[in-house]
Amino acid sequence: MSITALARDEIRALSPYKAAEQVDDTIRLNANEAPFRNPAEEFQRPLNRYPEIRPVRLRRRLADRYGVLESQLLVSRGSSEAIDMLMRVFCRAGRDNVVTMSPTFSMYRHYATIQGAECRAVPADADAGFAVDAAALLAGCDDATRLVFLCSPNNPTGTLVGRDTLVDVLTARRDRSVVVVDEAYVEFSESSSAIDLLDEFDNLIVLRTLSKALALAGARCGAVIGHAEAIAMLDAVQAPYALATPVVEMVDLALTDAHWAEAARQVALVRTERDRVQAALANLPFVTRTWPSDANFVLIEVDDVDRVLAKTRADGILVRHFADDLADCLRISIGAPAENDRLLRCLGQTGDA
Ligand SMILES: Cc1ncc(COP(=O)(O)O)c(C=O)c1O
């Protein structure tokens, strides 16, 4: 069975939207566009014209960066849009379910709920470092499980999904579920991407984003990577002209060698800072636990969350509390060195608060 068979019948039958043809050096009277440029813009491609239906050069550049074929990649408006599209392609409302771990990124549940699909969260044990247990995850799946979401490194724990675990899940769910590996933070890890497993598993989809390591959260750009037939179905569901011209031109530039290398230097700095911040936090008397992180944040457990939150807020520093899932924990993103210094100074005084 192929990944196509796992998609909803309506999606399999869906034809891609037929947009107005775009040919360079022609008089374009086929798309109801304004004939004049807006005086406020100076992009290479004028904004009175629709963007490309799909950004061809950007897709080629991203495919090169991630080492896949162009047909295996769809440029998305961040991973958020990709998660939403996956729910819509594979989950029938009121019938299918999505399995993931807990705690994890809340958007999997959010978009499953919007689609009318049940979201089952299999708890990961804090004492085991929040490691994903393949057997427990698979026990949560049944015949109606169309999507399994694995976030690696996981938000908000920073934990990697082990390669063996991933292979076990992909193997057990072959022909039955699409296994989505969300690699939003993988650049901050020593671990390699799951992309190299694509040759072996046609039920694998990998999500990448430029929001974290590439420092482009405001651009809303990411990539869905998978087998060409899965990408074609997602392409049919994505809005025409989804990526705006200013975004495409800006991100194209960010993918050139010089900018890519600079982003890699910044990732290295964040990793160094993460180790420094983590070590300093672990030494604070009110920090009862920390977990190793492969991402650009650390998760800590404290003895009095409200007191720490009040202190950081009073000092103008925002950290994240997930009251429902991790009541005693805080997720702290790694900032610039001076911001991290301020955080550590603030928390160093928390005992006196
Ligand atoms: C695990 C994970 N996946 C996806 C996203 C969404 O990222 P994007 O900005 O690409 O939509 C986030 C954002 O925080 C995230 O933590």
Side-chain angles (χ1 to χ4, degrees), residues 78-80 83 105 108 151 155 182 184-185 209 211-212 220:
S79 312
S80 307
I83 296 164
F105 186 46
Y108 311 140
C151 187
N155 176 10
D182 183 343
Y185 301 97
T209 179
S211 293
K212 314 293 177 179
R220 311 307 304 128

